[in-house]
Amino acid sequence: MAEPVVRIPDAKVVLSTASVYPESTATAFEIAARLGYDGVEVMVWTDPVSQDIESLRRLSDYHQVPILAVHAPCLLITQRVWSTDPWVKLQRAQAAAEKLGASTVVVHPPFRWQRQYARDFVTGIWRMAHETDVRFAVENMYPWRYRDREMLAYAPDWDVTKEDYRHFTIDLSHTATSRADTMAMVDRMGDRLGHVHLADGKGSAKDEHLVPGRGNQPCAELLEQLARTGFDGHVVIEVNTRRAMSAAEREADLAEALAFTRLHLASAASGISRS
């Protein structure tokens, strides 16, 4: 029997609820269902719905959109969400993922001022990983810059490949901000790359999270490599739509991001060239 013209990669294309900010978590489910995303990643933040497992379950059931990942509340604005204790935050993220059927918890490395947490982070993440089937995928970050000054805000390091983690998340907006070699970082992650935050950037000091294809990151190259290597994790669209002038413009950006991702996953599988 002849091979099909296009093999559909196992990777699912997922919408981060952060991609609709300042709209609500509920809006993200509506858009994901309408555009045909394979699922959502819930960014746990100040929206009460994002913190409530039963509310999330109802949204998932109503829209028939599975929750495939949970992003633990690691941001500066979420320091008091789900406790001020970072380990409690991760425990609650794990419990939420298990109850909602999500396979992955995304976590940032600690801030440097979280000294005890940072000191125990690598061993603590391994310990939690041994206690569950949920993947703790630690995400690459970036140095903070102001004019000519650079501040190393994360510990043990913003470059998570310098430490021994079981699973990684690669974020292409963060590689742009850190001015790292994205594909070299992916190579260092190897088969421990379990999760992708797909966005673009131009190397600004600000974390841009552009729609894929609008910056200088190798978004297409990465997607094609993932397809060729049989990546079976999730590719999460995590873009900034805050400047959208209308709901229709926001939705158009998210439709474009979805189309870009599916095109380049499929083109590698079918041998179609990007040129």
Side-chain angles (χ1 to χ4, degrees):
M1 183 178 294
E3 287 290 319
V5 174
V6 176
R7 281 185 296 110
I8 304 301
D10 291 333
K12 295 186 183 299
V13 185
V14 180
L15 180 64
S16 168
T17 60
S19 295
V20 307
Y21 181 82
E23 296 295 332
S24 67
T25 301
T27 299
F29 280 86
E30 295 171 14
I31 293 175
R34 191 155 52 240
L35 295 181
Y37 278 83
D38 296 318
V40 300
E41 174 178 301
V42 174
M43 170 69 80
V44 180
W45 66 298
T46 55
D47 181 351
V49 170
S50 73
Q51 304 170 30
D52 186 86
I53 291 172
E54 289 310 314
S55 295
L56 293 170
R57 195 195 312 276
R58 285 194 294 272
L59 282 169
S60 178
D61 290 345
Y62 179 79
H63 292 288
Q64 292 296 288
V65 174
I67 297 169
L68 299 177
V70 173
H71 195 310
C74 307
L75 307 176
L76 285 172
I77 63 168
T78 61
Q79 289 185 85
R80 296 187 177 278
V81 172
W82 277 359
S83 171
T84 56
D85 183 331
W87 290 114
V88 172
K89 292 173 183 283
L90 294 189
Q91 289 163 0
R92 293 191 63 172
Q94 175 187 327
E98 290 170 345
K99 291 175 182 176
L100 294 167
S103 63
T104 303
V105 167
V106 178
V107 58
H108 294 178
F111 294 112
R112 282 195 172 271
W113 55 84
Q114 296 174 301
R115 293 178 183 173
Q116 185 61 49
Y117 179 46
R119 200 158 31 239
D120 299 336
F121 184 68
V122 178
T123 56
I125 288 292
W126 269 102
R127 184 181 63 251
M128 293 188 73
H130 284 308
E131 296 170 352
T132 180
D133 290 333
V134 172
R135 293 178 173 183
F136 285 90
V138 185
E139 183 174 0
N140 63 298
M141 299 304 291
Y142 47 85
W144 292 0
R145 294 190 180 92
Y146 178 71
R147 295 181 180 173
D148 296 329
R149 297 186 177 183
E150 185 174 286
M151 173 185 171
L152 300 179
Y154 299 96
D157 203 283
W158 62 263
D159 181 353
V160 293
T161 64
K162 292 182 178 180
E163 302 296 332
D164 179 26
Y165 298 112
R166 188 169 183 176
H167 293 107
F168 293 109
T169 296
I170 186 79
D171 184 304
L172 274 71
S173 179
H174 296 175
T175 56
T177 304
S178 65
R179 299 166 191 168
D181 183 326
T182 301
M183 298 309 293
M185 183 176 284
V186 169
D187 287 345
R188 292 196 300 275
M189 291 179 174
D191 60 7
R192 291 182 292 169
L193 175 61
H195 203 68
V196 175
H197 279 171
L198 192 69
D200 217 329
K202 298 179 180 179
S204 166
K206 296 181 179 179
D207 187 16
E208 297 169 288
H209 284 274
L210 304 178
V211 170
R214 298 184 186 178
N216 59 22
Q217 290 301 287
C219 297
E221 182 182 350
L222 174 61
L223 291 169
E224 292 170 14
Q225 177 171 308
L226 294 176
R228 286 194 301 270
T229 57
F231 179 74
D232 61 356
H234 306 320
V235 178
V236 180
I237 303 301
E238 190 183 73
V239 296
N240 183 348
T241 62
R242 278 177 287 183
R243 293 187 178 180
M245 300 300 292
S246 65
E249 184 178 334
R250 173 175 290 107
E251 195 160 321
D253 283 347
L254 297 177
E256 179 183 331
L258 176 62
F260 179 100
T261 304
R262 289 216 167 115
L263 170 66
H264 289 287
L265 285 173
S267 67
S270 61
I272 299 171
S273 172
R274 276 186 287 135
S275 59

